[in-house]
Amino acid sequence: MQRFIIIRCFQALIVLFIVSIIVFALARFSGNPVDVFLPFDATDAQQLALERHLGLDQPLPLQYLKFVGNVMRGDFGDSVKWDGQTALGLVGQRFPATLQLAAIAMGISLLIALPVGVLSAVKKDTIFDYIGKVIALAGQSLPPFWLGIVLIFIFAVALDLFPTSGRGGGTNLILPAITLGWFQVAAMMRLVRSAMLEVLDTEYIKLARIKGVQEWKVVWKHALRNASIPPLTFFGIIAGQLMTGAVITESVFTWPGVGLLAVDAIRARDYPVVQTVVLTFAGIYILSNLAVDILYAYLDPRIRY
Amino acid sequence: MEITAPARKASWYSPSGLVNILREARRYPLIPFAILLAVLLIPAFFAQNIAPHHPTRGQFAERLTPPAWQEGGSMKYILGTDKQGRDQLSRILHGAKYVLIVSLTVIAISGVVGVSLGLIAGYFGGRYDMLIMRAVDIALSIPAILLALAIVASRGPSFGTVIFVICVILWSRYARQVRGEVLSIKNQDFISRAQVAGSSSFRIIVRHIFPNVVNSIVVLATLQVGFVILLESSLSFLGAGIPRPTPAWGLMVAEGRELVNAAWWVSFFPGVAISLVVLSLNLMGDWLRDRLDPKQRNL
């Protein structure tokens, strides 16, 4: 067990290292920031001076080492676009908004996916199962950005129930959270359904029924508990999807989170901020996968590497 | 159908024969296929012939005309016009071409790369497996949309960028699936017999293993076309996909975002086109999976 955890942590570190190289390289290739700072008629000497000031004249491996060293100390550099702010500070400021949105979205999708998934497994091939299938298909097929706009049109413009964009009270949260959570529902529901189908077919469930345990207890206690392992691994994937989804949802609803920050920063060629955002997102994704793997190994002792 | 074909031909004219044909037809996903034909395939090839107007040149005087059935709409522009007076229907019809080109290219490239790497990782195992699977982990942990935005920031939006970015993340799904299946096939008797008979590794992979995984590759590819279309249109929506003024569906939705108060039709109809195509592809993928890969039916 310990060996497994150590190996898995080591692998996660390697992945993080390679992602950091990719991020670094990409940022260096995405245009020269000197062009953004200086006016068109700047002389070559001025350009060189600025490059030296920013450390861009040094060889790339050295720049990378310096970058990693700084990152280790929590210094991701200063923002280029937002004056006087550090990149990490900016991400930190915006992070609560994204986290809030993601948490509510996750809650909404769990609230829908769990009961519908269980019901469509228990009542397989009935109207419940059919409705579940339709929800799953719709979730996988509607483009999230379009769904957001349609929701805005129906509930914010036509019915005037919610505000169209921005962050504020609780009503601002509902439409973006539904948009972000919707996509998760389908996949999660299918996983719950297939896991439940498998468990319901086992001997111990039959035994529980023979013993005369009430049906709701069999389903919601005995079966669901055992069926919750596969959906659990999905949480790692969801973490990644929520982040990608956050970029789209936040720009549809101008929600002031990390996703919107990333879009703005890349348009302004703000290197440090882009690096920080991508590294944060990749880091969260890798860590959540690691945590799920370890948890999984605890829950299901058959899994070893 | 293959078995009873001669017997049925004789009874074509009888009512029971017709019922039989209908029953036969119900086993195929005809409605999704019809939608696909109408929204994606026919427009992709014949947009020049069937579109009533030019896709990128508009009549500025007739901008933001509502769809025909709304007040102020006209039969000239059935689905209305956008803020540059371009006919929405013509743009959607022309947009199908780009959807088809991007998704087929991406599926082909990432399929070839992913399947080859998956076969190698699964068959040879050991160091190769370790290297390739870590690469899969990395590919899966890169936020695709951020990658696309970062590349677009330097080179501007282009078809090449879209295809590259989607391939970068998509190959890993093929590799992972194929590797898993190879692992379960590789220890079966017929493989060890081929080895004993002196077949080369290359021959075993191509002749004995590949035919056994090809079904699930076809299913995966069909299910992924929808995903690719969604990702491409998301990138175009963010301005990191297909460049303007190409009538890409995602771009058209984006152009209607700020008009949602005044002109709902600008972003509504292109989105309907995306949804219909992706929905039909998913339905066909499900159907294919049931036919070709019955062990995954419960997923």
Side-chain angles (χ1 to χ4, degrees):
Chain A
M1 191 67 202
Q2 258 171 349
R3 197 170 150 264
F4 167 74
I5 293 178
I6 291 169
I7 291 176
R8 201 60 199 74
C9 287
F10 188 66
Q11 285 174 347
L13 272 180
I14 292 179
V15 175
L16 201 57
F17 166 70
I18 292 176
V19 169
S20 78
I21 288 187
I22 294 175
V23 166
F24 174 80
L26 261 180
R28 282 296 172 273
F29 291 135
S30 62
N32 193 341
V34 176
D35 297 340
V36 182
F37 282 127
L38 290 176
F40 284 112
D41 52 356
T43 62
D44 283 354
Q46 282 172 317
Q47 204 162 350
L48 270 176
L50 185 62
E51 274 181 15
R52 190 161 305 146
H53 176 68
L54 293 172
L56 295 173
D57 56 339
Q58 285 161 345
L60 278 176
L62 215 68
Q63 285 188 36
Y64 174 73
L65 279 182
K66 206 174 150 214
F67 162 72
V68 170
N70 287 340
V71 165
M72 293 288 191
R73 280 182 273 119
D75 176 12
F76 286 79
D78 292 330
S79 163
V80 176
K81 186 185 178 215
W82 291 274
D83 273 333
Q85 302 244 44
T86 63
L88 192 63
L90 271 171
V91 173
Q93 274 169 31
R94 300 289 197 97
F95 203 71
T98 298
L99 206 62
Q100 182 190 24
L101 183 60
I104 304 282
M106 188 101 111
I108 288 179
S109 47
L110 261 181
L111 217 63
I112 301 173
L114 210 62
V116 178
V118 170
L119 261 183
S120 55
V122 174
K123 307 199 182 279
K124 193 172 177 246
D125 296 326
T126 64
I127 184 86
F128 292 101
D129 196 15
Y130 183 73
I131 292 173
K133 264 186 193 152
V134 171
I135 293 180
L137 264 173
Q140 282 178 326
S141 308
L142 300 182
F145 53 93
W146 180 73
L147 181 71
I149 293 175
V150 171
L151 286 178
I152 291 178
F153 177 72
I154 297 174
F155 293 103
V157 177
L159 298 177
D160 201 17
L161 290 174
F162 303 106
T164 52
S165 60
R167 188 178 180 217
T171 49
N172 286 64
L173 198 60
I174 294 172
L175 293 184
I178 291 176
T179 308
L180 187 55
W182 182 252
F183 206 65
Q184 263 50 262
V185 170
M188 211 143 56
M189 210 191 71
R190 288 186 144 202
L191 267 176
V192 172
R193 176 176 179 273
S194 71
M196 279 297 282
L197 277 179
E198 208 167 283
V199 169
L200 284 173
D201 204 34
T202 54
E203 298 296 322
Y204 57 85
I205 293 297
K206 284 175 200 156
L207 179 72
R209 284 197 175 128
I210 292 166
K211 278 197 329 191
V213 180
Q214 287 149 306
E215 185 60 23
W216 65 268
K217 239 182 179 173
V218 171
V219 171
W220 293 97
K221 200 173 153 211
H222 296 242
L224 186 58
R225 209 177 263 185
N226 286 294
S228 57
I229 293 179
L232 193 69
T233 37
F234 194 64
F235 265 66
I237 299 169
I238 284 188
Q241 279 185 347
L242 279 178
M243 276 155 216
T244 318
V247 178
I248 294 170
T249 313
E250 286 176 9
S251 57
V252 171
F253 290 91
T254 45
W255 181 264
V258 184
L260 193 61
L261 178 74
V263 175
D264 290 343
I266 287 168
R267 289 203 179 123
R269 289 192 182 168
D270 194 339
Y271 277 8
V273 175
V274 175
Q275 281 174 342
T276 319
V277 173
V278 177
L279 273 180
T280 319
F281 275 13
I284 291 175
Y285 182 75
I286 293 168
L287 280 181
S288 60
N289 267 324
L290 178 68
V292 165
D293 272 2
I294 292 173
L295 203 60
Y296 202 104
Y298 267 112
L299 286 177
D300 190 342
R302 284 169 300 180
I303 291 157
R304 286 290 178 277
Y305 278 69
Chain B
M1 190 167 169
E2 309 86 55
I3 309 162
T4 54
R8 188 169 311 149
K9 236 175 201 169
S11 60
W12 253 34
Y13 308 100
S14 70
S16 67
L18 200 68
V19 169
N20 272 339
I21 290 172
L22 283 178
R23 191 173 295 152
E24 191 73 42
R26 275 192 50 177
R27 291 175 44 213
Y28 295 86
L30 286 182
I31 296 174
F33 187 71
I35 292 177
L36 219 53
L37 215 57
V39 184
L40 184 68
L41 295 174
I42 294 179
F45 288 105
F46 302 108
Q48 309 87 297
N49 308 330
I50 53 176
H53 298 274
H54 194 275
T56 50
R57 277 199 303 268
Q59 296 291 324
F60 200 67
E62 288 169 318
R63 66 185 192 276
L64 297 184
T65 311
W69 58 89
Q70 261 202 348
E71 216 182 306
S74 79
M75 281 312 284
K76 198 174 159 198
Y77 303 110
I78 294 173
L79 300 183
T81 60
D82 64 7
K83 67 179 167 191
Q84 293 180 44
R86 297 175 295 196
D87 178 38
Q88 287 269 91
L89 177 65
S90 305
R91 280 175 72 72
I92 291 174
L93 289 175
H94 278 273
K97 192 166 37 195
Y98 304 100
V99 173
L100 199 66
I101 293 173
V102 170
S103 51
L104 289 186
T105 318
V106 166
I107 294 286
I109 297 176
S110 53
V112 170
V113 173
V115 171
S116 322
L117 288 177
L119 286 170
I120 293 172
Y123 184 74
F124 293 107
R127 197 169 293 170
Y128 298 99
D129 187 29
M130 162 75 191
L131 261 174
I132 293 173
M133 290 325 283
R134 286 295 81 79
V136 166
D137 281 353
I138 294 165
L140 287 173
S141 63
I142 296 172
I145 288 190
L146 290 180
L147 179 73
L149 286 171
I151 297 177
V152 164
S154 64
R155 316 197 158 217
S158 75
F159 278 93
T161 312
V162 183
I163 289 170
F164 173 76
V165 168
I166 306 182
C167 284
V168 162
I169 54 159
L170 209 65
W171 70 271
S172 55
R173 299 185 172 204
Y174 290 93
R176 207 163 54 167
Q177 165 116 11
V178 169
R179 171 191 176 261
E181 298 202 7
V182 173
L183 283 183
S184 67
I185 293 169
K186 151 174 114 165
N187 293 325
Q188 286 180 27
D189 278 348
F190 67 96
I191 299 295
S192 19
R193 281 179 200 170
Q195 281 165 342
V196 171
S199 298
S200 66
S201 300
F202 180 76
R203 191 183 159 84
I204 292 177
I205 291 178
V206 173
R207 293 294 296 272
H208 299 290
I209 294 183
F210 182 70
N212 281 299
V213 295
V214 80
N215 273 2
S216 60
I217 297 171
V218 170
V219 172
L220 189 66
T222 320
L223 287 171
Q224 300 232 307
V225 181
F227 175 76
V228 171
I229 294 175
L230 278 187
L231 195 55
E232 177 269 307
S233 53
S234 301
L235 291 176
S236 300
F237 175 79
L238 290 172
I242 296 172
R244 286 165 205 267
T246 315
W249 293 346
L251 262 179
M252 295 174 69
V253 177
E255 278 160 11
R257 163 65 183 95
E258 67 267 32
L259 297 169
V260 68
N261 291 307
W264 58 272
W265 56 88
V266 178
S267 46
F268 184 74
F269 293 116
V272 171
I274 302 173
S275 311
L276 281 177
V277 168
V278 177
L279 189 66
S280 334
L281 281 167
N282 283 340
L283 284 169
M284 287 179 65
D286 280 352
W287 174 80
L288 258 182
R289 180 174 48 201
D290 287 353
R291 292 220 97 179
L292 299 179
D293 203 1
K295 62 180 182 286
Q296 298 205 9
R297 198 165 284 170
N298 281 339
L299 269 176

